[in-house]
């Protein structure tokens, strides 16, 4: 049986559809044909660069030496200078990691939310969220869903309630073009009403449970394509962060 992992809040928002059946089909497709890598390890590199203050040149050299897959390595090497430039310009007075949270989506279904870090500058606390997808970043109602729920989570934490919530979008404006960094001030992003938020989350939860039941009912077959295969550390599950 293919394993259906619990999605992160960001992936929930990206994979939301307007009916449970569509959500189910999308999640089943991801379970049966998962991406070959995720950007999970890039969060570790961000912490090395920003929290541990390792020089950008050292972090990039480590990527060149340790990341074997060319496409993954090139992705990381394209993103890291943009991150370095952002924090060099921001010039934070402090940077620290943040503990993860679990968001109750439905009964017996908790969604992980793992913020990478926060930083302070000029007496202001900033909460940056990193979006590393090169294509199809969160937009429209999907983006509003993500921002609405994150804001709800932040308001439950007295230390983060007044933080400036930014989304660092590292996508490429053109499919074959280079990435660029666009900083989205979430104050400019429309929030969902409470009723619409609950409606969208309920649709996803129903679709997730439907996908789980569908996969559980499928006969188990040996996956010949997986025999003898091993994944690099960089090829972690897409729902791993």
């Amino acid at each position: 049986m293919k394993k259906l992992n619990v999605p992160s809040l960001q992936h929930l928002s990206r994979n939301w559809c307007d009916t449970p059946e569509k959500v189910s089909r999308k999640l089943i497709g991801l379970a049966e044909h998962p991406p070959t890598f995720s950007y999970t390890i890039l969060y570790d590199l961000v912490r090395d660069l920003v929290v541990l203050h390792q020089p950008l040149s050292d972090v990039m050299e480590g990527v060149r030496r340790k990341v074997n897959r060319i496409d993954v390595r090139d992705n990381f090497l394209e993103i890291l200078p943009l991150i370095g430039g952002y924090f060099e310009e921001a010039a934070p007075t402090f940077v620290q990691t943040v503990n993860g949270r679990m968001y109750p989506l439905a009964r017996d279904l908790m969604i992980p939310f793992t913020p990478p870090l926060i930083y302070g500058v000029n007496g202001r606390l900033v909460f940056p969220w990193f979006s590393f997808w090169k294509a199809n970043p969160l937009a429209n109602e999907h983006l509003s869903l993500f921002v609405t729920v994150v804001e709800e989570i932040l308001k439950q934490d007295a230390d983060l309630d007044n933080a400036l919530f930014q989304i660092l979008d590292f996508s490429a404006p053109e499919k074959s073009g280079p990435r660029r960094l666009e900083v989205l001030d979430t104050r400019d992003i429309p929030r969902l009403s409470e009723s619409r938020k609950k409606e969208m989350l309920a649709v996803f939860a129903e679709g997730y449970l439907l996908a789980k039941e569908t996969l559980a009912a499928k006969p188990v077959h040996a996956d010949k394509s997986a025999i003898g295969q091993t994944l690099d550390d960089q090829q972690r599950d897409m729902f791993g962060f």
Side-chain angles (χ1 to χ4, degrees), residues 70-95:
I70 295 175
D71 58 339
V72 178
R73 182 169 66 239
D74 288 348
N75 260 311
F76 291 176
L77 293 177
E78 187 177 18
I79 293 171
L80 284 168
L82 297 174
I83 296 173
Y86 169 82
F87 280 99
E88 182 177 0
E89 182 176 346
T93 52
F94 73 88
V95 183

Side-chain angles (χ1 to χ4, degrees), residues 7-14 16 101-106 109-115 127 129 138 140-157 160-161 165 167 186 189-202 204:
S8 67
L9 180 56
Q10 184 174 227
H11 285 93
L12 179 158
S13 302
R14 195 187 199 198
W16 183 86
R101 282 107 164 121
M102 299 297 291
Y103 184 81
L105 179 62
L109 181 55
M110 303 290 287
I111 298 295
F113 176 66
T114 309
F127 178 86
W129 183 267
L138 292 175
N140 303 320
E141 202 169 33
H142 296 261
L143 179 58
S144 289
L145 175 62
F146 178 71
V147 170
T148 299
V149 176
V150 171
E151 184 177 69
E152 178 183 334
I153 295 173
L154 296 181
K155 285 183 176 180
Q156 295 172 358
D157 189 324
L160 301 178
D161 185 20
F165 174 24
I167 295 177
T186 62
I189 297 171
R191 276 25 174 201
L192 300 177
S193 66
E194 182 67 14
S195 60
R196 180 56 177 159
K197 181 201 74 174
K198 289 182 177 179
E199 178 185 9
M200 291 179 71
L201 294 178
F204 189 92

